[in-house]
Every structure is written in structure tokens, then in C-alpha cells.
Amino acid sequence: MNTKMLGWATMVYLVAMAFYLIRLLRDDEYWGKLATGTSLVGLALHTAGIAVRWWESHRMGLGHAPLANFYESMIFFSWSIMLLYLITEWRIKNRVIGPFVTPVAFLSMAYASLSPDEATRIQPLIPALQSNWLTSHVVTCFMGYGAFTIAFGLGILFFARRIVSGTGNPSKGGGGHFPDEGAIEELIYHSVIMGFIFLSLGIITGSVWAHSAWGSYWSWDPKETWSLITWLIYAALLHARLVRGWRGKRIAIMAIAGFASVLFTYLGVNYLDSLHSYLM
Amino acid sequence: MQEEKTKSKNPVWSFFSSVRLTIALLILIALAAVVGTVVPQQDAAGESLQKLPPALAAIVKALQVTDLYRSPWFLLLMGLLMANLVICSLNRLPASLRLYRRRPEPDRPGLYENLPPGRVLAAEGSVEDAADRMGQALEKSIGSVERKTHGGTVWLSAHRGAWSYFGVYVIHAGVLIIVLGAVIGSIFGFEGHVNIPAGGSADAIELRGGKGTMKLGFDVRCDDFTVEFYDSGMPKLYRSDLSFVKGGEVRARGSLMVNHPLEFEGIRFYQSTYGAIPGEAVLAVEGKGQRAVKRLRQGERFAIDGGKAQAEILRIEGNLMRMGPAVKIGITAGDKALAFWVFQFIDAIEEHNPGITKQVPQFNPALYRPYRFALEGIETAFYTGLKVNRDPGVPIVGAGAFVLVAGFLLTFFSSHRQVFVRVDRSDGKARISIAGRCNRDPVRLDREIGRAVRLYRGETP
């Protein structure tokens, strides 16, 4: 039941993605409104799918938030991205980031749906996961990942705008209906702050959990270490902008590099020996 | 001021107070950590080092990349970052203090030019009256109001959130406290592990990193170990029932589970691993018209043949040479000694290899005539693997994390908003001009000014 709903949400996101793209190419808010509406339907289905999965786990007598394996984490990653994206869209009253963010959410859902049946089944929790910290740790981490995804989308948008407007006139004018570079960069900065705070909370909740499960709040496990690497990259970005006064292109590049580190923290680490390897 | 200038000329000080250094160090530490996740660390490193050509292995060893996070150069990078953090903060603190203390004069020129239309209000009545009402509105919307009158014009100013200048220092303090806690933990704490068979006890632990053993000062007894599985074969529960024994009496008892550590005398115990060990062998001894069944552990001795011979269980094997469970028995009778294996499935083994007990006398369970031994089974026993540590740095790290989060809130969700109002007379009416300034979050400032204007007009805010 829940996997069907989530499958439908995936398809709806694909359609939303297409609408955002048409809006970008034709600069017609008719398509923009359609894209936002479709995204909202997708998010509603998505949320319901997660809720039903949670309810089903209780009915099976297992009773845990659907955040316990790789499949469930991909679903939640996508959910965080769409939620944060729609909030951003509503706050800035602009749909131009959509075409750059919705593909990540769609791909995450689509990749999750490729999982073999074994992974999509609701499973009981192994002893290490039997903790109240599971939910707070996963939610904070993925909210962070979601915010960094938005910053990444904005970073791509920054360069897309340059390509469209030509490199001759980088700061103002040109770029058609794109926001100007200063505004994009300001949004990158705000998304990175959000992500940075959530990632910090994710690391802290993870440490508290590790302290009770394994007896040390920090063991330089590859996942932990990569989360620190990601944290350091975004810390460097914030210092570069706030104190060194870096703007524009450099910040956009750092937002994209930071997202590469997020992806490695999330996916790449699974190829290294890790305490988090049960996620696979 | 003078002192600050001489400070900034000091090359060491200016090197450490540069944010360029901060960014370089953040990136260097990140790169070092990347190396640390790719190169196997500590115990895992030994095997992979052997696969490398000796010259390369020597370089890897010299650079200590196989114990990277404890290597002097990684600690040096961390130390530099901390020094940079402290000096940078000290360097910038006076400027923040000035910003915190500074109250710009509300009557300075240029402040009330180019105000947006909604920020200039006209009012009937006197300037003083309008200023009074505006002052009350500001008081409610922003905070305490300062007032200045000169030549028929009234200036008001109010501000809020000046503390936000210090948020960044709170974040830095949080990071420092966390690192301090980690250092204290690594100096005054210890970490080790111990395996205890169910029913057995231990009074010492093996320290991590091959630093020898450490006496606990009490006994840890594993009264029982339980492992449960789901139907799918996934583990469901590991539980060790432990007793802490001191001076011959049980001082504490508890069930140790994953995510539920136990603490005794400041030392914490964690359920870490478990394993199976061959436990008691059930051995039947037949001969001279008698049959006796004994349950025996490795190393246990027993008498046979009315005390004429001594037998000892030399080894217990769960699966010897792929022929199933077996025990090795040594028998001494006078000055004669012999040893042989007793397989549980000796009949099946003979069937597959006819005559094996003749060819290999050591496999003959009836080697000590006229007795014949038969192994009825080996009971497996569990041992529990406990991680044991003490880390006095944990509360400090926790406090640091708390300070860090508080610093985030202060830095990113607060801002210093200042509102300046001029009330003067223009075209026979009182004219109120409102200017605002903030270091972050202009949206919030607009909202607060809007609220003050609505309060002034007597609308519901």
C-alpha cells in the first residue's frame, strides 16, 4: 500500500519537474502554477505514503518511524527536499529554483523504487537502531541534506543564468527572468545556514546516540568523518562569505562542492567499512 | 586603539588572526579526514600495509596515516585551528564591543532622506504630542526609547538585539569547549574491552590500542547472556545480565543491552559483541560392565579404572577437520601416557573411511582398553563482549554542544535592529520620519516598524 502511494508520488514529481522546466523555458506563470500545484499534490501523496508506512509498521507490531533502512532514508531525503523547496518557493515568491531541485527529489524517489523487494518491506529494528534518538538524528540530518540540496540547485541556477545571459554582463541585467546574481547568492547563503544548523544538530544527536550505543560519542567512523568534512566545507563557505567577503561565483562553487560532499556522506560512505553500513 | 595597532603589527599575531588561515585550516583538516576514511585505520591497517611495496609502506608508516586522527601532524592542524579561533575571536571582540555599545545619534544628517512613503507620517497637533504617542508605540514594538529635543524637533531612538554581535563568539566558545572535552577525555579517560563467558567473571580489561590490561578494582560477572532473533534471522536483542562484585559481595546488578549501558563506580559498560565458545562436552565412558556420563570442560581431569588412571580433556573442538565435534583426551596410567580424539559421529566417519581407526590410532575412541569413550555432544556457550570506558570529558562536550546551538540561534536568528524617529514641524503639521537599520534580517525590522506605525495610529497591530 505505502510503496504504491510512494510510487505514485514519484510519477507526480516527474510531471512537476517537467512543468517547472516548461515554465523556465517559456517564462509563463501558467506552467509555474501548474508545477507548484503538481508538487503540492506529490508532497501530499508522499507524506501520506510515509504516514501509512508508519501506521503499517505499527499494525505489524514493529512500530517504528520509517527511517530505518536505505530505502526509507531515500524516501525521507526526497520528502525533506520537496518540503524545504516548497517553503522556499513560497517565501521568495519565485519558481526559478524548481527545475534544479525537483530532479534531485525525483531521482532519490526513483532510485529508492529500484530497491529489491527485500529492502522495501517494513523490517524490524536491529538492536543498535532501537533508540529514541533514531528519529531525531535522521530527521535533523536529512533536513540538513535537503537545505544543502536547495543551495546546490541555486548554485547550478547561478551558472545557468550566466550561460543564458552570456558572460559579458555577469552582475546585473541580462539573464531574462532569472533573479539577479546577488539575490541567488543571498538565497544560497540562507539555505546553507539552514543546512549547517540542521547538520550540526544531526551530528550532535548522532553523538548522543553513539554515546549510549557504542560507548563513544565520536569514533572517526567514515560516516562520522564525512559528516565532519561536509560541516568543515560549509563552515569554510560561511567564513569566506561573512569575514572574507567572498561573493557570487566562489560561493556558488562552494555550494556545489559542499553538495558533492553531502552525497558522499550519504551514499559514497557505504562503500567504506562503516558503523552505518546497515543502511545498505 | 594604540595597543591594537601594535598588536596587529606583530607578525605571529597577524598570522593567527587571519581568516584566510581559518579557511586554509578548515580545508586542510577536511582533506586529511578524507585520507583517513580511505586509508584503513589502526587494527585494519596492518593487513593492507603488508600488501604494499615495502618502500611505500615505510612512507605510509612514517606519515602515520594509518592512525591519522592521533598522529602529531593532525593534532597540530587541530591545535592551529584552535589557536586561530581564539586569536581571531580576541582580535575581533573589541570591534563587536564597540558595535554593541555604540548608540548613533538620531539627529545625524542624511538619516531621514530618501525614506519610503510609508515611513513619513503627518499628524495634527503639536510636535511634542506626536512624539509622545510615537514614543509609546516604539516602546511597545521595539523596546526602551531614548529621547532628545532640540530647537522644536524631537528625536527618538530605540533598539533591540544588540547581543547578536556576540553570537559568533558563543559559537566559537562552543567549538572550543567541545575540543577541550575531547582532550580531557583522551587524557584522563580510558577505553577497553573484555570478553566474559556466560557464568564467568572478569576483574581486568584489555586497553585499546594494545596498551596492556587494566585492573578494574572489582569483578564483573556475567550471570547470563541472551541473544534473540527475528523470524527473518535479523538480531533482535542482545542482553547480558551482569553483577558487579566487590569484596566478595554483589554491589549492583543490571541488564546490559545495546543502547542501554550500565555504570558502576564511574566506569561504563556497553554491549559490544558476543560469540560462541565450545562449552561442556558430554562424554560417556564404557567399560568393565559400567557406563558413566560426565559433563566436562576443557582442562578438567577425572579418574577412571577405579583410580588407576587419570584422564584430562585436552581440547574441545566444535568441528575438527570437518568431521564434526570432537574432544581430545589424554590418559596417564602410571608412567604410560596416551592421547586420542573422540568424535561424536565416529560411526559415520568409519562408514565413509573403513578402517580409519586402525590406520590412525589417534582416532580410535577405544584406545585405552578395555574402556571406550563416546562423545554425546558439545554444548555451546556464549561469551559476551563488553566495551568498557570512562570519559570525564563527556559532560564538557555536551555542554559545548549546548553552547554551540545557543550560538547558532543567537547568530542566525537574532539581529540588532535600530529605529530612529524624527518629529518636526512641516507645512503646519507635525511630521514623523522613521528610519531603520539592522545588521541582519531587514524583513523583521520592517515588520517591527510596521507594528509601531499601526500602534501609533491606534490600529490593532
Side-chain angles (χ1 to χ4, degrees):
Chain A
M1 174 69 178
N2 66 76
T3 45
K4 254 185 207 161
M5 291 171 79
L6 294 169
W8 277 107
T10 313
M11 289 303 117
V12 174
Y13 286 153
L14 181 66
V15 175
M17 196 174 111
F19 286 156
Y20 274 118
L21 210 61
I22 297 170
R23 200 233 76 141
L24 183 75
L25 297 175
R26 305 189 56 169
D27 192 19
D28 183 347
E29 277 312 328
Y30 168 75
W31 293 101
K33 280 175 191 158
L34 215 52
T36 305
T38 317
S39 295
L40 282 170
V41 170
L43 186 66
L45 255 173
H46 197 162
T47 311
I50 291 174
V52 166
R53 192 175 173 86
W54 200 334
W55 176 72
E56 281 178 4
S57 91
H58 274 278
R59 219 185 37 179
M60 290 166 71
L62 301 171
H64 62 81
L67 305 167
N69 64 15
F70 187 62
Y71 170 81
E72 291 176 348
S73 79
M74 290 295 268
I75 299 290
F76 189 71
F77 179 39
S78 175
W79 186 84
S80 315
I81 294 171
M82 288 310 291
L83 178 75
L84 289 176
Y85 168 69
L86 286 168
I87 291 173
T88 311
E89 185 189 288
W90 170 68
R91 286 202 57 173
I92 65 172
K93 311 272 179 266
N94 194 322
R95 298 189 167 92
V96 75
I97 328 170
F100 305 94
V101 172
T102 45
V104 185
F106 166 73
L107 285 175
S108 175
M109 290 295 275
Y111 189 59
S113 72
L114 292 178
S115 293
D117 291 347
E118 186 61 29
T120 57
R121 211 168 291 149
I122 297 173
Q123 289 153 333
L125 294 177
I126 61 166
L129 294 181
Q130 293 163 10
S131 168
N132 292 332
W133 291 97
L134 171 69
T135 311
S136 52
H137 174 57
V138 177
V139 167
T140 46
C141 282
F142 280 97
M143 282 295 175
Y145 292 179
F148 290 140
T149 307
I150 311 264
F152 162 78
L154 286 158
I156 299 288
L157 171 66
F158 184 93
F159 290 107
R161 183 187 185 281
R162 281 206 171 173
I163 292 165
V164 172
S165 65
T167 44
N169 190 6
S171 60
K172 277 193 181 131
H177 44 279
F178 288 65
D180 72 59
E181 288 194 355
I184 297 175
E185 192 236 83
E186 183 74 17
L187 278 171
I188 292 180
Y189 171 67
H190 282 286
S191 309
V192 167
I193 287 176
M194 263 300 156
F196 193 67
I197 293 174
F198 273 122
L199 178 66
S200 303
L201 289 172
I203 292 174
I204 291 169
T205 50
S207 295
V208 175
W209 185 4
H211 179 62
S212 73
W214 295 304
S216 63
Y217 53 86
W218 190 264
S219 10
W220 293 105
D221 162 78
K223 190 96 171 180
E224 294 174 358
T225 310
W226 270 95
S227 69
L228 177 68
I229 292 166
T230 305
W231 193 87
L232 290 171
I233 292 174
Y234 286 109
L237 185 155
L238 292 177
H239 281 90
R241 187 182 189 276
L242 285 172
V243 193
R244 297 284 313 160
W246 285 17
R247 288 288 184 274
K249 189 175 154 192
R250 285 166 158 185
I251 296 296
I253 289 173
M254 286 183 92
I256 293 170
F259 186 65
S261 180
V262 167
L263 283 186
F264 197 84
T265 308
Y266 181 24
L267 304 172
V269 164
N270 293 315
Y271 299 102
L272 305 167
D273 279 337
S274 164
L275 290 171
H276 285 74
S277 51
Y278 47 76
L279 273 182
M280 283 305 269
Chain B
M1 255 345 246
Q2 198 61 43
E3 205 188 51
E4 258 180 67
K5 269 183 189 156
T6 49
K7 261 185 198 165
S8 62
K9 273 179 195 155
N10 181 337
V12 178
W13 182 272
S14 56
F15 173 73
F16 275 110
S17 62
S18 114
V19 177
R20 210 180 295 212
L21 177 70
T22 315
I23 294 168
L25 285 170
L26 289 175
I27 289 170
L28 275 176
I29 292 171
L31 287 176
V34 171
V35 173
T37 60
V38 178
V39 178
Q41 295 289 302
Q42 294 199 322
D43 304 340
E47 244 177 79
S48 23
L49 270 185
Q50 283 169 359
K51 287 181 200 153
L52 290 176
L56 194 59
I59 295 172
V60 168
K61 262 191 186 159
L63 291 174
Q64 292 176 297
V65 279
T66 53
D67 194 8
L68 187 123
Y69 310 114
R70 271 167 276 271
S71 72
W73 62 271
F74 187 78
L75 294 177
L76 178 75
L77 282 178
M78 291 294 273
L80 283 175
L81 182 68
M82 291 309 123
N84 175 246
L85 196 149
V86 171
I87 291 174
C88 252
S89 303
L90 288 178
N91 212 34
R92 282 157 194 278
L93 193 57
S96 298
L97 268 172
R98 274 199 299 278
L99 279 173
Y100 174 70
R101 291 210 189 105
R102 193 176 63 166
R103 297 285 170 265
E105 289 302 310
D107 57 346
R108 67 191 190 284
L111 194 57
Y112 304 99
E113 284 163 24
N114 303 320
L115 288 179
R119 297 285 172 84
V120 183
L121 316 172
E124 304 294 335
S126 75
V127 165
E128 288 291 329
D129 277 354
D132 284 348
R133 277 194 290 145
M134 193 64 218
Q136 281 164 10
L138 269 184
E139 188 104 34
K140 273 190 190 153
S141 154
I142 309 266
S144 60
V145 175
E146 281 175 48
R147 187 176 172 136
K148 191 172 160 183
T149 312
H150 183 71
T153 304
V154 179
W155 286 277
L156 305 169
S157 65
H159 75 109
R160 196 180 221 178
W163 275 105
S164 68
Y165 295 116
F166 300 112
V168 64
Y169 304 103
V170 178
I171 294 180
H172 288 172
V175 172
L176 274 176
I177 296 170
I178 289 172
V179 172
L180 182 76
V183 170
I184 285 174
S186 70
I187 293 174
F188 299 106
F190 62 82
E191 205 177 289
H193 73 95
V194 63
N195 293 340
I196 310 175
S201 68
D203 62 354
I205 59 162
E206 202 74 35
L207 287 175
R208 192 180 137 147
K211 288 185 201 144
T213 56
M214 194 190 82
K215 284 271 177 197
L216 288 171
F218 53 85
D219 279 19
V220 188
R221 197 172 69 209
C222 177
D223 298 322
D224 196 11
F225 177 79
T226 322
V227 51
E228 288 173 24
F229 296 93
Y230 295 108
D231 294 338
S232 65
M234 277 169 68
K236 182 180 186 179
L237 173 89
Y238 311 126
R239 193 183 71 220
S240 304
D241 294 321
L242 300 183
S243 297
F244 298 95
V245 184
K246 198 172 182 183
E249 57 179 288
V250 175
R251 297 284 175 87
R253 263 181 218 280
S255 290
L256 179 65
M257 286 172 282
V258 180
N259 277 313
H260 298 278
L262 289 178
E263 190 172 323
F264 184 70
E265 297 200 332
I267 299 175
R268 278 164 70 100
F269 294 81
Y270 300 86
Q271 183 68 59
S272 161
T273 59
Y274 75 99
I277 38 170
E280 292 181 326
V282 183
L283 199 66
V285 189
E286 298 163 15
K288 294 191 176 170
Q290 283 181 321
R291 185 173 194 274
V293 178
K294 297 170 187 294
R295 309 174 76 85
L296 301 152
R297 287 177 185 276
Q298 187 165 316
E300 251 182 287
R301 292 160 176 276
F302 55 100
I304 55 170
D305 208 357
K308 280 181 208 153
Q310 280 287 323
E312 183 185 354
I313 304 292
L314 298 174
R315 268 166 73 187
I316 298 177
E317 292 288 339
N319 189 4
L320 185 73
M321 295 162 76
R322 296 193 190 173
M323 293 193 289
V327 290
K328 193 178 192 182
I329 295 173
I331 293 180
T332 42
D335 52 358
K336 279 208 295 186
L338 61 133
F340 54 90
W341 285 97
V342 179
F343 286 93
Q344 183 173 2
F345 305 117
I346 188 67
D347 296 344
I349 295 167
E350 279 235 69
E351 211 170 292
H352 276 92
N353 313 277
I356 190 164
T357 53
K358 296 236 166 58
Q359 290 153 19
V360 189
Q362 277 182 311
F363 286 2
N364 184 356
L367 202 60
Y368 183 74
R369 269 179 295 230
Y371 287 89
R372 183 189 166 88
F373 293 83
L375 179 61
E376 301 200 331
I378 294 172
E379 287 173 355
T380 53
F382 284 109
Y383 70 85
T384 179
L386 308 182
K387 188 166 174 191
V388 185
N389 70 16
R390 176 157 66 199
D391 188 344
V394 165
I396 300 170
V397 172
F402 195 79
V403 171
L404 183 74
V405 174
F408 283 146
L409 298 181
L410 206 52
T411 306
F412 297 123
F413 295 106
S414 73
S415 61
H416 188 205
R417 289 96 65 203
Q418 293 168 287
V419 179
F420 306 101
V421 177
R422 181 186 64 191
V423 190
D424 58 2
R425 191 149 279 280
S426 168
D427 298 333
K429 284 183 177 173
R431 181 178 65 171
I432 302 173
S433 316
I434 308 168
R437 220 171 60 162
C438 72
N439 58 344
R440 285 181 287 264
D441 206 356
V443 178
R444 191 158 162 194
L445 177 71
D446 279 345
R447 217 169 44 223
E448 280 170 347
I449 292 178
R451 191 171 123 87
V453 169
R454 284 193 300 277
L455 280 165
Y456 164 80
R457 285 183 175 148
E459 297 165 12
T460 44

Short mmCIF file of all heavy atoms in Angstrom, two decimals, chain A residues 29 52 63 78 90 102 110 114 126 137 149 172 174 184 212 214 226 232 239 255:
data_model
loop_
_atom_site.label_atom_id
_atom_site.label_comp_id
_atom_site.label_asym_id
_atom_site.label_seq_id
_atom_site.Cartn_x
_atom_site.Cartn_y
_atom_site.Cartn_z
N GLU A 29 3.80 31.97 -16.26
CA GLU A 29 3.43 31.56 -14.91
C GLU A 29 2.29 30.55 -14.88
O GLU A 29 2.04 29.92 -13.86
CB GLU A 29 3.11 32.77 -14.03
CG GLU A 29 4.34 33.43 -13.42
CD GLU A 29 5.33 32.46 -12.76
OE1 GLU A 29 4.90 31.42 -12.21
OE2 GLU A 29 6.54 32.74 -12.80
N VAL A 52 1.33 6.22 6.12
CA VAL A 52 0.72 4.88 6.01
C VAL A 52 1.77 3.82 6.34
O VAL A 52 1.50 2.83 7.02
CB VAL A 52 0.13 4.67 4.60
CG1 VAL A 52 -0.19 3.20 4.36
CG2 VAL A 52 -1.11 5.53 4.42
N GLY A 63 6.24 -1.14 14.89
CA GLY A 63 6.10 0.19 15.45
C GLY A 63 7.34 1.06 15.45
O GLY A 63 7.87 1.39 16.49
N SER A 78 14.06 12.66 -0.12
CA SER A 78 13.25 13.30 -1.14
C SER A 78 12.15 14.17 -0.50
O SER A 78 11.90 15.30 -0.94
CB SER A 78 12.63 12.21 -2.02
OG SER A 78 11.77 12.77 -2.94
N TRP A 90 7.61 29.48 -1.66
CA TRP A 90 6.54 30.30 -1.13
C TRP A 90 7.10 31.59 -0.52
O TRP A 90 6.54 32.67 -0.67
CB TRP A 90 5.78 29.46 -0.09
CG TRP A 90 4.80 30.23 0.73
CD1 TRP A 90 3.64 30.81 0.29
CD2 TRP A 90 4.89 30.50 2.13
NE1 TRP A 90 3.00 31.41 1.33
CE2 TRP A 90 3.74 31.24 2.48
CE3 TRP A 90 5.80 30.17 3.12
CZ2 TRP A 90 3.50 31.66 3.77
CZ3 TRP A 90 5.56 30.59 4.41
CH2 TRP A 90 4.42 31.33 4.73
N THR A 102 13.86 19.91 -8.10
CA THR A 102 12.94 18.77 -8.22
C THR A 102 13.60 17.52 -8.84
O THR A 102 13.24 16.42 -8.43
CB THR A 102 11.67 19.14 -9.01
OG1 THR A 102 12.05 19.88 -10.17
CG2 THR A 102 10.73 19.96 -8.16
N ALA A 110 13.06 7.76 -7.37
CA ALA A 110 13.17 6.74 -8.41
C ALA A 110 14.22 5.70 -8.04
O ALA A 110 14.01 4.49 -8.21
CB ALA A 110 13.53 7.40 -9.75
N LEU A 114 13.83 1.46 -7.14
CA LEU A 114 14.56 0.36 -7.78
C LEU A 114 14.99 -0.71 -6.78
O LEU A 114 15.44 -1.78 -7.16
CB LEU A 114 15.82 0.90 -8.48
CG LEU A 114 15.60 1.80 -9.68
CD1 LEU A 114 16.95 2.27 -10.21
CD2 LEU A 114 14.83 1.07 -10.76
N ILE A 126 17.11 -3.62 14.23
CA ILE A 126 18.20 -4.32 14.91
C ILE A 126 18.52 -3.57 16.20
O ILE A 126 18.14 -2.41 16.35
CB ILE A 126 19.46 -4.42 14.00
CG1 ILE A 126 19.98 -3.03 13.66
CG2 ILE A 126 19.15 -5.20 12.74
CD1 ILE A 126 21.36 -3.03 13.06
N HIS A 137 17.74 11.99 15.05
CA HIS A 137 19.00 12.00 14.31
C HIS A 137 18.73 12.02 12.80
O HIS A 137 19.29 12.84 12.07
CB HIS A 137 19.82 10.77 14.69
CG HIS A 137 21.07 10.58 13.89
ND1 HIS A 137 22.06 11.54 13.81
CD2 HIS A 137 21.50 9.55 13.13
CE1 HIS A 137 23.03 11.09 13.05
NE2 HIS A 137 22.72 9.89 12.61
N THR A 149 20.64 20.67 -0.57
CA THR A 149 20.19 20.40 -1.95
C THR A 149 19.66 21.67 -2.59
O THR A 149 19.92 21.95 -3.77
CB THR A 149 19.10 19.31 -1.95
OG1 THR A 149 19.58 18.18 -1.23
CG2 THR A 149 18.74 18.90 -3.36
N LYS A 172 24.41 42.41 -13.36
CA LYS A 172 23.03 42.86 -13.46
C LYS A 172 22.55 42.85 -14.90
O LYS A 172 23.36 42.82 -15.84
CB LYS A 172 22.92 44.27 -12.89
CG LYS A 172 22.77 44.20 -11.38
CD LYS A 172 22.34 45.52 -10.79
CE LYS A 172 22.23 45.37 -9.29
NZ LYS A 172 22.90 46.42 -8.57
N GLY A 174 20.39 41.31 -18.22
CA GLY A 174 20.51 40.02 -18.88
C GLY A 174 19.83 38.95 -18.05
O GLY A 174 19.11 39.24 -17.11
N ILE A 184 20.45 35.43 -5.91
CA ILE A 184 20.70 33.99 -5.89
C ILE A 184 21.70 33.66 -4.79
O ILE A 184 21.51 32.73 -3.99
CB ILE A 184 21.24 33.50 -7.25
CG1 ILE A 184 20.20 33.75 -8.35
CG2 ILE A 184 21.58 32.02 -7.19
CD1 ILE A 184 20.70 33.40 -9.73
N SER A 212 25.46 6.30 23.78
CA SER A 212 24.72 5.28 24.53
C SER A 212 24.79 3.91 23.86
O SER A 212 24.66 2.90 24.50
CB SER A 212 23.27 5.71 24.75
OG SER A 212 22.56 5.62 23.54
N TRP A 214 27.43 2.77 21.57
CA TRP A 214 28.76 2.21 21.37
C TRP A 214 29.78 2.70 22.38
O TRP A 214 30.95 2.34 22.31
CB TRP A 214 29.26 2.52 19.95
CG TRP A 214 28.44 1.86 18.90
CD1 TRP A 214 28.20 0.52 18.81
CD2 TRP A 214 27.75 2.47 17.82
NE1 TRP A 214 27.39 0.27 17.74
CE2 TRP A 214 27.11 1.45 17.11
CE3 TRP A 214 27.63 3.79 17.38
CZ2 TRP A 214 26.34 1.70 15.99
CZ3 TRP A 214 26.86 4.03 16.26
CH2 TRP A 214 26.23 3.00 15.58
N TRP A 226 32.97 11.85 7.41
CA TRP A 226 32.47 12.58 6.23
C TRP A 226 31.45 13.64 6.62
O TRP A 226 31.37 14.69 5.98
CB TRP A 226 31.91 11.62 5.18
CG TRP A 226 33.01 11.23 4.24
CD1 TRP A 226 33.80 10.13 4.32
CD2 TRP A 226 33.48 12.00 3.12
NE1 TRP A 226 34.74 10.16 3.31
CE2 TRP A 226 34.56 11.28 2.56
CE3 TRP A 226 33.10 13.21 2.54
CZ2 TRP A 226 35.27 11.75 1.45
CZ3 TRP A 226 33.80 13.67 1.43
CH2 TRP A 226 34.87 12.94 0.89
N LEU A 232 32.85 21.01 7.73
CA LEU A 232 34.01 21.91 7.56
C LEU A 232 33.89 22.70 6.27
O LEU A 232 34.21 23.89 6.22
CB LEU A 232 35.31 21.10 7.57
CG LEU A 232 35.72 20.47 8.91
CD1 LEU A 232 36.91 19.52 8.72
CD2 LEU A 232 36.10 21.56 9.91
N HIS A 239 32.53 31.29 6.60
CA HIS A 239 33.60 32.22 6.98
C HIS A 239 34.06 33.05 5.78
O HIS A 239 34.32 34.24 5.90
CB HIS A 239 34.78 31.46 7.58
CG HIS A 239 34.56 31.06 9.00
ND1 HIS A 239 33.97 29.87 9.34
CD2 HIS A 239 34.81 31.71 10.16
CE1 HIS A 239 33.88 29.80 10.65
NE2 HIS A 239 34.38 30.90 11.18
N ALA A 255 28.99 25.93 -2.82
CA ALA A 255 27.71 25.28 -2.55
C ALA A 255 27.60 23.97 -3.33
O ALA A 255 27.07 22.98 -2.84
CB ALA A 255 26.55 26.21 -2.91
#
